Amino acid sequence: MNHIVFLSGGNASFAVAAWVKEQYGHLKGHSILLYFTDVKWEDFDLYRFIKDASERLELPMLIHSRGLTPPQLMVKQKFMANSRVGSCSKELKMKVASDYIKKGIKPEIEVWHNKKYLKKDDFISNATLYFGIGVNELHREEPIKINWAPYEVVNPLIYHDINIDESLRKYSILPGQLYSKGFHHNNCGGKCIKGGQAHFKNLFMKDKKSFIELMEQEIVISDYIRYTKQPTIKSGKRKDYMYKDVWEFVSTGKKSAKIQHIIDTHPYTKNWRFGKNRHGEDIKKPFTFMKTKSLYELKQQPMQYDIFDYGACGCFVELDTAAG
């Protein structure tokens, strides 16, 4: 029997992997695989965490990736991912996993860790899939089961008494460092586009450099998307003169004169406010995925935000729309 544990890099998914190992690891004919889909936008410590998990549990880990980060995908798709439409999650995680497990299609990047522990060459057929969602995420259970049919889906944290902290201690696993910084999950280096106001407020307070970089990326990508909607650009009659500069910026952080001009002259960065529209009215709509108030307001009124709106990635909930 095959078992595939979707290892997200979070504490909960590790506890599930440990539970599966303890239930089936000693049984003859049972193969267990840790599976991680990499969006190349993670905190460096996440990679330490998942490798530790593979080492301590003595389980093989397969890492798949399209080799794109969420900002790069947004530029390619000319679409800004947001809290309602997590295109990065769909394309870089859900579709990658679905194409491989259901259709045998490998993505651009495949990396094995501890493949020596792999018990079967065929570790996919009739596999049971495991996810690290708990009772606080019951709304995700049914969509995940529907999306992964005909594969059996099991969520041990919902139906079994599993102590996550005890699992980490038992195998001497140090949690990802994002938890110690106040983040509610260990994904995307604290930059998850589905994070809420409190999430981005925490990013601003704990990692201002990443906050500023993310803010600038959103400004540039938003400007680029509007630029590409011009009829002559969209039809191909006129060359896309921005793509090269934008792609280099989201890929390496290098700012050409053109990119620097966009950032410097934008109302959000120029005034630390949203500025005014062409009618002289205050612009109150925040940017698409950074649902904070302006940086100016964060500085002046640090407590004026929704303290409960942390949000979460919610990956693998809308797989059917991504895989179609």
Side-chain angles (χ1 to χ4, degrees):
M1 184 175 178
N2 292 322
H3 308 268
I4 299 177
V5 181
F6 281 73
L7 191 67
S8 68
N11 293 343
S13 64
F14 171 79
V16 168
W19 183 87
V20 174
K21 172 65 184 286
E22 292 163 6
Q23 296 295 313
Y24 305 105
H26 63 287
L27 299 178
K28 186 177 180 180
H30 286 254
S31 173
I32 304 173
L33 175 76
L34 303 179
Y35 186 59
F36 177 68
T37 44
D38 190 1
V39 299
K40 299 294 183 181
W41 214 35
E42 306 290 358
D43 182 80
F44 73 91
D45 189 60
L46 176 141
Y47 300 105
R48 183 275 310 166
F49 180 86
I50 61 175
K51 287 181 180 178
D52 280 355
S54 176
E55 293 286 349
R56 306 290 167 76
L57 294 175
E58 296 186 347
L59 292 175
M61 178 170 63
L62 176 59
I63 300 175
H64 274 165
S65 175
R66 284 190 57 191
L68 291 173
T69 65
Q72 288 175 326
L73 180 69
M74 293 179 209
V75 172
K76 276 187 169 292
Q77 291 186 327
K78 299 179 178 62
F79 176 79
M80 180 69 75
N82 55 77
S83 59
R84 294 184 178 182
V85 184
S87 55
C88 47
S89 175
K90 290 180 181 180
E91 291 292 329
L92 304 182
K93 295 187 79 70
M94 292 182 273
K95 192 173 188 303
V96 167
S98 177
D99 282 352
Y100 180 65
I101 293 175
K102 288 186 175 183
K103 304 174 184 178
I105 301 173
K106 293 183 180 181
E108 286 80 352
I109 298 174
E110 178 176 277
V111 177
W112 280 94
H113 189 68
N114 279 330
K115 193 174 182 179
K116 61 186 178 183
Y117 294 126
L118 188 65
K119 293 182 178 180
K120 295 181 181 179
D121 290 331
D122 179 8
F123 48 85
I124 293 179
S125 297
N126 301 313
T128 299
L129 311 181
Y130 299 85
F131 295 84
I133 66 171
V135 292
N136 61 321
E137 296 179 293
L138 278 173
H139 63 284
R140 294 178 60 192
E141 183 180 32
E142 194 58 30
I144 290 174
K145 287 185 174 181
I146 292 172
N147 290 332
W148 282 102
Y151 287 90
E152 180 183 2
V153 170
V154 176
N155 300 299
L157 292 177
I158 295 178
Y159 301 101
H160 298 276
D161 184 18
I162 299 174
N163 188 304
I164 296 174
D165 291 333
E166 284 185 7
S167 293
L168 293 167
R169 286 194 294 268
K170 181 177 180 179
Y171 292 94
S172 300
I173 297 287
L174 184 67
Q177 70 169 2
L178 288 184
Y179 291 113
S180 65
K181 293 181 178 180
F183 292 98
H184 284 204
H185 55 75
N186 191 33
N187 302 114
C188 288
K191 304 184 292 289
C192 177
I193 58 93
K194 287 201 170 186
Q197 289 184 5
H199 176 91
F200 284 110
K201 165 68 178 190
N202 188 56
L203 179 64
F204 173 73
M205 298 297 290
K206 304 295 176 57
D207 187 357
K208 185 177 177 181
K209 181 175 181 291
S210 291
F211 181 96
I212 298 297
E213 289 175 351
L214 192 61
M215 179 187 71
E216 291 180 344
Q217 284 182 340
E218 183 163 9
I219 288 170
V220 172
I221 295 172
S222 296
D223 202 72
Y224 175 66
I225 291 172
R226 287 192 293 271
Y227 167 78
T228 59
K229 290 186 182 298
Q230 296 179 69
T232 53
I233 299 294
K234 199 171 182 179
S235 65
K237 292 180 179 179
R238 185 156 62 94
K239 183 179 178 180
D240 181 348
Y241 288 102
M242 280 188 68
Y243 179 81
K244 183 179 178 181
D245 295 77
V246 173
W247 182 259
E248 184 175 40
F249 172 59
V250 298
S251 300
T252 69
K254 183 178 179 180
K255 302 172 186 175
S256 66
K258 189 181 298 183
I259 297 300
Q260 191 65 60
H261 176 75
I262 292 171
I263 294 171
D264 290 343
T265 59
H266 199 281
Y268 190 74
T269 47
K270 186 178 180 182
N271 303 316
W272 298 118
R273 294 181 174 87
F274 293 121
K276 297 181 180 296
N277 62 22
R278 60 190 178 89
H279 301 295
E281 302 166 333
D282 289 333
I283 299 173
K284 298 182 179 180
K285 181 180 181 298
F287 285 98
T288 310
F289 63 79
M290 291 184 69
K291 295 167 288 298
T292 57
K293 297 191 173 191
S294 70
L295 188 54
Y296 174 83
E297 290 174 305
L298 285 176
K299 286 180 176 179
Q300 301 300 319
Q301 300 174 323
M303 294 308 294
Q304 298 303 308
Y305 68 102
D306 188 342
I307 60 173
F308 301 107
D309 183 18
Y310 277 92
C313 62
C315 294
F316 296 99
V317 173
E318 302 174 72
L319 174 59
D320 53 344
T321 60

